[in-house]
Amino acid sequence: MTDNLTLAVFGAGGKTGTLLLEQAMQRGHHVRGLEHHLPDPAKRIEGVDYIQCDVLEDDLADAIRGCDAVISTLGVSFTPSTAIDPPPLYTEGTRRIVEAMSRVGIDRIAVISAAFVDEQPAVPSWFRLTVVPALANILEHMRAMERMLEAEQRLRWTAARPGWLIDLPYSGEAQVQALTLSTDCFRCR
C-alpha cells in the first residue's frame, strides 16, 4: 500500500486496533476508527476520525465511503462465555462489512484471524492439547470468515494469522511465515 491512503479500521478501540491506528497515523495515512463503544476522548489517537457503529446492526456504507481499504481488528475476548458461544463478529460482522464495501466500491480488506485455524505442529503439545481446544468455537468462526472472504471473487483480502496475542512489550522482530508458525513461536507480543 502507498502513503496517504484513507483507511477504515473496525475494532479501533481495542488493544490491537489502537496499535494499528498509531502505526497508520505515523505512516501518514488518513484513518477512520470505527468502534461499537468509542474510547474515552483522553485515550483516542490524535488525528483519527472516530465513528461509533455496530457491525451487527448498523448500515456501514456511509462510515466507509471514500476509504481506500478496510482493516478489521474485530475480535472477542477469551472468556468462558465467548469460548462456548462467540458473538458472530468474525462471521456476520465481516459479511456485513464486505457487503458495505461492495456497495461503495472498496475491494481491499485485511482481517485478524489466528494461526490456529490450521493445525500448527510447531506449538508445544501442552498448548495444542489445552488452549487450542478451548478456542475451538472461536477458531471455527475465524475459519468461516476466511472461507467467506475466499469465496468473494472481486475482493482482495489478507488474513493476518498471529499466534496467541499477549499484552507484553515487544521482544524482538516479528517472524513472518506463510501458513505455519516457527517452532515455539506461538505467542505474539
Side-chain angles (χ1 to χ4, degrees):
M1 296 187 138
T2 60
D3 288 340
N4 300 316
L5 295 174
T6 300
L7 303 172
V9 178
F10 286 90
K15 192 69 159 175
T16 303
T18 299
L19 290 170
L20 192 137
L21 295 178
E22 289 171 352
Q23 291 181 17
M25 292 301 294
Q26 289 171 2
R27 287 173 172 76
H29 298 298
H30 306 284
V31 182
R32 293 184 196 162
L34 299 110
E35 180 61 57
H36 187 251
H37 300 289
L38 293 179
D40 182 275
K43 295 183 178 183
R44 295 181 188 182
I45 307 301
E46 186 177 335
V48 172
D49 296 322
Y50 285 89
I51 300 171
Q52 187 169 6
C53 66
D54 183 333
V55 296
L56 299 176
E57 299 291 330
D58 295 338
D59 182 348
L60 306 172
D62 285 340
I64 65 172
R65 189 178 319 280
C67 291
D68 298 300
V70 171
I71 302 172
S72 173
T73 64
L74 294 174
V76 298
S77 58
F78 181 60
T79 65
S81 63
T82 59
I84 293 167
D85 186 22
L89 294 176
Y90 298 111
T91 52
E92 181 67 13
T94 302
R95 182 189 64 74
R96 296 183 87 253
I97 291 169
V98 168
E99 286 175 353
M101 290 170 59
S102 178
R103 289 197 313 270
V104 299
I106 302 170
D107 70 346
R108 183 72 175 107
I109 185 171
V111 299
I112 299 283
S113 186
F116 313 108
V117 298
D118 289 332
E119 187 172 328
Q120 295 293 332
V123 301
S125 58
W126 69 265
F127 190 85
R128 189 172 47 255
L129 295 171
T130 58
V131 177
V132 173
L135 293 170
N137 293 331
I138 295 170
L139 294 172
E140 185 51 43
H141 280 229
M142 291 176 173
R143 279 185 205 96
M145 171 186 67
E146 289 189 25
R147 286 191 304 266
M148 177 198 56
L149 292 171
E150 190 171 25
E152 292 289 329
Q153 298 297 316
R154 295 178 304 220
L155 191 64
R156 296 180 301 144
W157 64 279
T158 301
R161 289 178 160 186
W164 186 264
L165 294 173
I166 55 175
D167 188 13
L168 293 172
Y170 296 119
S171 61
E173 291 298 313
Q175 296 180 29
V176 179
Q177 292 183 314
L179 303 179
T180 59
L181 292 173
S182 300
T183 302
D184 292 329
C185 186
F186 62 98
R187 290 178 285 205
C188 191
R189 293 172 180 243

